[in-house]
């Protein structure tokens, strides 16, 4: 039989998951925190499937109003509004950060072709470039060795990317999904950062998947739910 195994962990326990991976001969794949747009896509598919089950005779009860709405607006807008209502997306949806799912923050990716080996280096450079204290969350180094990602207050994130567009040394972008992150091999010290792949910063770190952690790992599937970090293998994780 096959199934899904989810393991929730704290950032400072990430090195333990690496040991499990090596000893068990498993390959874990990191799954980023689901965004509102991803959840809306899944919900709309479920609603669309249910709409096909509506008895044809019942449609006559709504056809007059449906025709009136289409005449007022285009059909695509009307259908989109109906789907949004049925999925519970009435108020404006605000995206959370990819790295820690923090409201009001945006995940920024920094690339330095010469290499990035320390979260502190990223913090110092961002502070200098913004010329003011930066509202930053944890900094995570990427697997490629030349980039890092971090959460930054959304307005500051947009300003950083726009102002540094012509920077010859560093490149800043707003990724739509998380790149592969370097795994911490040693425990992180309280309040700061560990060794390889360590994070630096004071932001609260949490995500979707379980209570109290910052990322999810999985293999051949997707993790779900609300909370924090998990490793999973071979399938889909769910829950809210």
């Amino acid at each position: 039989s096959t199934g899904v195994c989810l393991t929730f962990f704290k950032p400072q326990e990430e090195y333990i998951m690496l040991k499990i991976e090596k000893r068990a001969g498993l390959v874990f794949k990191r799954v980023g925190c689901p965004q509102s747009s991803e959840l809306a896509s899944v919900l709309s598919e479920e609603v669309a499937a249910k709409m096909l089950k509506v008895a044809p005779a019942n449609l006559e009860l709504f056809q007059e109003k449906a025709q009136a709405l289409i005449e007022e607006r285009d059909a695509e807008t009307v259908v989109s509004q109906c789907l949004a209502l049925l999925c519970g997306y009435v108020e404006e949806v605000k995206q959370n950060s990819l790295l820690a799912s923090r409201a009001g923050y945006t995940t920024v990716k920094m690339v330095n072709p010469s290499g990035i080996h320390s979260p502190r280096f990223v913090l110092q450079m961002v502070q200098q470039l913004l010329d003011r204290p930066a509202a930053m969350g944890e900094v995570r180094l990427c697997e490629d060795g030349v980039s890092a990602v971090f959460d930054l207050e959304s307005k500051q994130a947009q300003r950083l990317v726009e102002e540094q567009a012509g920077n010859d040394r560093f490149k800043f972008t707003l990724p739509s999904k998380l790149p592969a992150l370097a795994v911490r091999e040693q425990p992180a010290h309280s309040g700061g950062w560990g060794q390889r792949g360590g994070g630096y910063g004071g932001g609260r770190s949490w995500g979707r998947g379980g209570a109290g952690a910052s990322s999810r790992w999985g293999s051949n599937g997707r993790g779900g739910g609300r909370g924090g970090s998990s490793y999973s293998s071979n399938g889909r994780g769910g829950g809210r």
Side-chain angles (χ1 to χ4, degrees):
S1 61
T2 61
V4 177
C5 178
L6 298 177
T7 302
F8 301 97
F9 62 97
K10 297 179 181 179
Q12 59 267 33
E13 296 172 334
E14 191 170 0
Y15 76 103
I16 299 177
M17 304 311 299
L18 182 61
K19 290 183 177 180
I20 294 175
E21 182 182 51
K22 291 181 178 179
R23 292 184 181 181
L26 301 174
V27 178
F28 294 114
K29 179 182 178 182
R30 190 178 195 283
V31 182
C33 300
Q35 293 295 295
S36 298
S37 57
E38 295 175 304
L39 296 176
S41 178
V42 173
L43 288 172
S44 61
E45 289 180 4
E46 294 178 353
V47 169
K50 291 180 179 180
M51 289 172 62
L52 297 177
K53 297 180 181 180
V54 176
N58 293 344
L59 300 180
E60 297 179 2
L61 301 173
F62 304 94
Q63 283 181 340
E64 182 177 349
K65 185 59 179 179
Q67 186 62 42
L69 289 173
I70 292 175
E71 291 176 357
E72 293 175 6
R73 306 155 227 175
D74 61 276
E76 183 178 347
T77 297
V78 173
V79 174
S80 296
Q81 289 175 324
C82 290
L83 287 173
L85 178 62
L86 292 171
C87 293
Y89 282 68
V90 179
E91 302 295 332
E92 181 180 357
V93 175
K94 295 183 179 180
Q95 297 285 353
N96 293 335
S97 67
L98 292 173
L99 185 60
S101 195
R102 299 181 68 185
Y105 280 70
T106 299
T107 298
V108 180
K109 181 180 180 181
M110 174 181 174
V111 177
N112 178 20
S114 299
I116 298 178
H117 309 292
S118 165
R120 185 181 295 275
F121 170 78
V122 177
L123 177 65
Q124 292 175 340
M125 289 299 100
V126 172
Q127 298 277 16
Q128 290 179 17
L129 293 172
L130 286 175
D131 195 28
R132 67 178 63 181
M136 291 180 64
E138 182 185 28
V139 177
R140 290 296 306 271
L141 303 184
C142 296
E143 205 174 61
D144 59 13
V146 298
S147 57
V149 290
F150 55 90
D151 284 347
L152 186 62
E153 189 275 325
S154 295
K155 290 184 179 180
Q156 288 189 330
Q158 191 65 42
R159 177 191 163 207
L160 178 66
V161 171
E162 292 176 355
E163 292 184 354
Q164 301 304 318
N167 193 314
D168 296 329
R169 184 181 179 189
F170 305 120
K171 181 180 179 181
F172 294 93
T173 58
L174 304 180
S176 58
K177 62 180 181 179
L178 282 178
L181 302 181
V183 179
R184 296 184 180 92
E185 293 187 349
Q186 299 294 331
H189 297 291
S190 176
W193 42 322
Q195 297 183 17
R196 176 185 168 194
Y200 181 96
R204 181 178 59 184
S205 184
W206 62 279
R208 298 175 186 273
S214 63
S215 59
R216 297 192 317 288
W217 293 68
S219 176
N220 299 329
R222 295 184 60 181
R226 178 175 286 275
S229 301
S230 69
Y231 279 85
S232 69
S233 60
N234 200 22
R236 293 174 60 92
R240 284 185 64 85

